[in-house]
Amino acid sequence: MSSIIQLKNINKKIREELILRDINLSVTKGEFISIIGPSGSGKSSLLYIIGLLDIPSDGEVFIEGEKVDFTETHKIAHLRNIKFGFIFQFHYLIAEFSLLENVMVPMLKAGRTKEESKERAYLLLQKLGLKGKEKRKPFQISGGEQQRVAIARALANEPIVIIADEPTGNLDSKNTAIVMDIFCNLHLEGKTVIMVTHEIELTERTERIVKMLDGNIIEDIELDKKKC
Ligand SMILES: Nc1ncnc2c1ncn2[C@@H]1O[C@H](COP(=O)(O)OP(=O)(O)OP(=O)(O)O)[C@@H](O)[C@H]1O
Ligand SMILES: [Mg+2]
């Protein structure tokens, strides 16, 4: 099967410290992967390299078989904006913007018209159970709802890969279950989902667990393919 993302011999050095060590990872289209490991083991750093938010000190990254040229910063920014959807522990919604406007931002950045962006933002918010709240500001909804808006925003440009860094880190068990159901549905729709988590029980719904320690991948376990 063709890999959608491939990392070859990736090292990341920050001030003489190697925070990623000779990472080799191949992600197949449609996989649902969890990344686990202790604090400081390099999970976020790995996600940033996968999602083209950061560049490695050595090694190669291939997206859909094409080698990424790290000197082409504009091309990388465009690739990042259209291929990846990011979700973090903190939602980073823009406080002054309505939920609708927050979801529209990445589409406008990608060059879609205002009308098209608005129409799609309505649809996405509806899909995530936020119909009727489009005009509210982030502070006027709950934490679980804020995270769903962040997911809607991440899906704005129909990314092929969803990258989530502890997306449920700030949520209670009910909202954690809601977010996991959303990821599960995205996976069943054929999206590739890569999620860092501290909660071991959440990894049971994924198909593959990548374990990190001290900047290394120490285990890469394929679980039974299941309908999450
Ligand atoms: N900008 C930076 N400058 C210096 N050190 C950094 C920087 N970013 C990350 N590190 C170091 O790299 C290592 C890996 O960090 P990373 O954030 O990837 O860990 P993590 O596994 O995501 O941890 P956590 O579970 O706490 O989020 C840590 O030792 C961290 O201190
Ligand atoms: Mg982290």
Side-chain angles (χ1 to χ4, degrees):
M1 273 211 263
S2 63
S3 60
I4 200 158
I5 297 161
Q6 200 172 9
L7 306 190
K8 287 190 185 170
N9 308 108
I10 296 292
N11 288 313
K12 178 73 187 177
K13 200 186 253 184
I14 298 182
R15 287 184 234 102
E16 297 309 304
E17 194 194 345
L18 260 183
I19 61 170
L20 292 176
R21 299 161 188 266
D22 198 26
I23 298 287
N24 288 285
L25 183 73
S26 180
V27 177
T28 303
K29 188 172 185 298
E31 270 190 308
F32 189 5
I33 302 181
S34 48
I35 301 178
I36 59 168
S39 181
S41 57
K43 306 181 296 296
S44 297
S45 306
L46 178 61
L47 279 192
Y48 298 157
I49 303 246
I50 292 173
L52 306 179
L53 284 166
D54 196 7
I55 61 172
S57 308
D58 310 287
E60 295 172 334
V61 176
F62 295 82
I63 307 288
E64 294 179 310
E66 199 177 317
K67 188 174 158 180
V68 176
D69 179 347
F70 295 111
T71 62
E72 294 183 303
T73 46
H74 287 290
K75 193 175 169 194
I76 288 179
H78 182 66
L79 212 55
R80 185 196 307 133
N81 197 23
I82 59 164
K83 301 282 185 193
F84 296 95
F86 297 94
I87 299 145
F88 301 98
Q89 183 174 0
F90 304 99
H91 55 71
Y92 300 113
L93 296 173
I94 301 169
E96 304 79 48
F97 282 12
S98 68
L99 309 186
L100 193 72
E101 289 163 339
N102 267 284
V103 178
M104 287 171 68
V105 169
M107 293 187 264
L108 296 172
K109 270 196 200 166
R112 295 203 202 203
T113 65
K114 202 172 163 189
E115 289 68 37
E116 190 192 355
S117 304
K118 194 181 246 179
E119 195 177 322
R120 185 163 159 74
Y122 269 110
L123 276 176
L124 283 165
L125 287 169
Q126 180 177 5
K127 183 177 173 186
L128 289 157
L130 293 154
K131 193 172 162 58
K133 299 186 176 170
E134 298 89 351
K135 298 285 164 65
R136 293 199 196 176
K137 299 277 171 65
F139 74 90
Q140 294 170 315
I141 57 172
S142 74
E145 289 171 330
Q146 288 169 351
Q147 198 57 312
R148 277 186 274 148
V149 178
I151 296 173
R153 180 185 55 186
L155 297 176
N157 289 325
E158 295 166 88
I160 50 167
V161 183
I162 315 291
I163 292 191
D165 197 351
E166 296 186 45
T168 62
N170 274 323
L171 301 179
D172 60 16
S173 57
K174 181 167 162 259
N175 280 298
T176 294
I178 291 171
V179 166
M180 283 305 290
D181 287 345
I182 293 166
F183 285 162
C184 183
N185 284 327
L186 290 169
H187 164 60
L188 295 176
E189 282 172 20
K191 300 271 189 210
T192 307
V193 183
I194 307 175
M195 173 187 76
V196 165
T197 184
H198 272 127
E199 296 164 84
I200 294 300
E201 64 275 16
L202 302 186
T203 65
E204 285 163 16
R205 293 183 73 175
T206 69
E207 294 178 339
R208 180 174 169 192
I209 304 176
V210 173
K211 268 193 203 173
M212 297 198 67
L213 184 68
D214 296 335
N216 297 292
I217 292 178
I218 54 162
E219 246 184 302
D220 191 339
I221 310 159
E222 298 270 352
L223 304 175
D224 291 339
K225 296 256 184 290
K226 51 190 170 290
K227 290 201 167 79
C228 40

